[in-house]
Amino acid sequence: MSAAVSDAWRPVRRLLAEPLGALGIALVLLVIGGAVLADWLSVYEPSRISPRDRFQGPSWTHLLGTDQLGRDLFSRVLHGGRIALSVALFSTAASLAIGVVLGLIAGYGPRWLDNLMLLLFDSIKSFPTVMLALALVTLFGPSLTAVVVVVVLVNVPGYARIIRTQTLALKESEFVTAAQSMGAGTARVLRVHIMPNVIGPLLILASMDIPVVIAIEAGMSFLGLGVRPPTPSWGAILNDGFTAIRDTPWIVIAGGLPIILTTLGFTFLGETLRDVFDPRLKGRG
Amino acid sequence: MLGYTLKRLGLAVVIVSLAMAILFVMIYLIPGDPAAVALGPRATEAMRESLRVKMGLDQPVWVQFWNFFTRAWTGDLGNEVLSDRPVAQVVMEQLPHTLALIAGGMVWSVALGIPLGCWAAVKRGSWADRVVGIVSVAVIAVPSFVVAIYALLIFAVTLRWLPAIGAGDAGDLGDRLTHLILPSLAVGLGWVGYIARMVRASMLEVLEAQHIRTARAFGLPETMITYRYALTIAILPTVTLLGVGIGQMLSSAVFAEIVFARPGVGKLVYDAILTRNYPLVTGAVLVTTVLFVLINLLADLLIGALDPRVRSRF
């Protein structure tokens, strides 16, 4: 029993042994904690407008100050964390699911389908991310959906390619041939024999992509093309503060700091995860 | 090499064609009548109808697509809605600003990244190496638009060292350059990290090589070995990395242009979206996509020329 427990904790201990990993975990926990406890930690409603309190600097009543509508920035930052994290979680999960399925099809399916899908992946990758985002917003209009679609489109080609390469390598291996000769169908071979072998590196890569996803959401919201007001988002706070940057700099400081801390935290964590568990992934292409 | 070049070129043509097809489908799917959007609410039905005919909207979808496709390949991207000027011309006017910004970003990333990576490799395992490692990861992680906003806040608004908005006077090179410093820092900072890591890794490899050991055995000064014999070789892989870098800097440039209110393709697309100037949006997106594909093509050909293993993978 105790052996099992220490086994489960070993990866965590190995991460904590690395200073960068420990810092990453601390930052990530801080952000997650802030988002989960947002209702409890914030004294004010994040979207409550209070014209009398507009443009107040940081003080004990408003830790990070207030914006142009008198909304408390500390509450908005905490609730913005919910948006950032849920978008990151949801769109990464969606990209993973789609990427795995497409990658398995490309790797296990007929050659022509493989080539066609590779061409499609390369074409999508050939759009610069921001241009892709701007073009999609033109189509869908500014919304959270547009953000998620952009993230999925940006992430899926990379994930599918990795799964495809690994599937191609495993397809010819002896244990897969053995399973096939014993009558296992395609679905069973993919699910039971190939999936578990290809998913590990992908999860580490996905964890390293989370800061990128958070940056996409914040960036699009900053341009006014993502989350719609009055929903609090870090990018939206930056957008609010940017027009008044000369007179009330604390608004952009409040909007930018959580983005910096979150992207740093997830990046430090992801880098350490990779170095500890899968050094081969260094310099992935 | 010829076979590889042709295949790679073919792929680029296919990708650009697909991009055109996707953009056409997108314009087609946008709700609302483009002619009505272009003319505004006060236009009569007859005016709308004549513009529809002029824009070719009365023809079947596949004819519209074929016209768009063939014209786009010849560089005719149609006219923009507001001033009725050719889209290609409007985009080409803005492109030099964006290219200057990317060039500035590359200068920053190379000027800071190579010395940092080299220093870290020479001081391998020391605190300096660790600090460079952490700084490299950190600058890669932080989104460029946050860097842009904070750089604006610190150096332009608070310290007033550098100008905050615009691209400077057209005739005044010094003014242009001072306006370029902050935006290009925002564009290039992330790549300082990539380049520093790359140079460090390849320096460590080179420093173990035979010719370096020979140089040491001959008693050459250590600085000469590092900079003259090791670094000149260790820089080579970075050249190939820059191809990818330029493409990504294109994305960062969009934000830098908006934050610093600079002219450029990114600002052009953004403003066009806000004013629903759709021909301009698709035209500018298409031009940047072609640029991006071309840069990646050149980088791949360069890598192929330098490294035969890449060619065989195709």
Side-chain angles (χ1 to χ4, degrees), chain A residues 170-229:
Chain A
L170 285 175
K171 189 157 86 169
E172 312 295 336
S173 66
E174 283 175 2
F175 71 93
V176 171
T177 323
Q180 282 165 338
S181 64
M182 284 164 77
T186 307
R188 188 178 159 80
V189 170
L190 287 177
R191 201 182 68 241
V192 180
H193 299 285
I194 292 186
M195 263 276 275
N197 286 303
V198 297
I199 202 88
L202 190 65
L203 287 179
I204 295 179
L205 286 187
S207 80
M208 296 183 65
D209 279 340
I210 286 183
V212 180
V213 176
I214 289 174
I216 291 177
E217 186 272 310
M220 287 178 70
S221 299
F222 167 63
L223 295 180
L225 306 174
V227 175
R228 304 304 296 151

Side-chain angles (χ1 to χ4, degrees), chain A residues 29-39 41 78-83 85:
Chain A
L29 285 180
L30 181 75
V31 174
I32 294 178
V36 171
L37 301 176
D39 285 328
L41 285 172
L78 289 176
H79 283 86
R82 285 191 176 174
I83 299 286
L85 290 179

Side-chain angles (χ1 to χ4, degrees), chain B residues 180-198:
Chain B
L180 200 58
I181 295 176
L182 284 183
S184 59
L185 172 71
V187 168
L189 190 66
W191 279 83
V192 172
Y194 284 114
I195 291 181
R197 290 173 132 198
M198 186 92 176

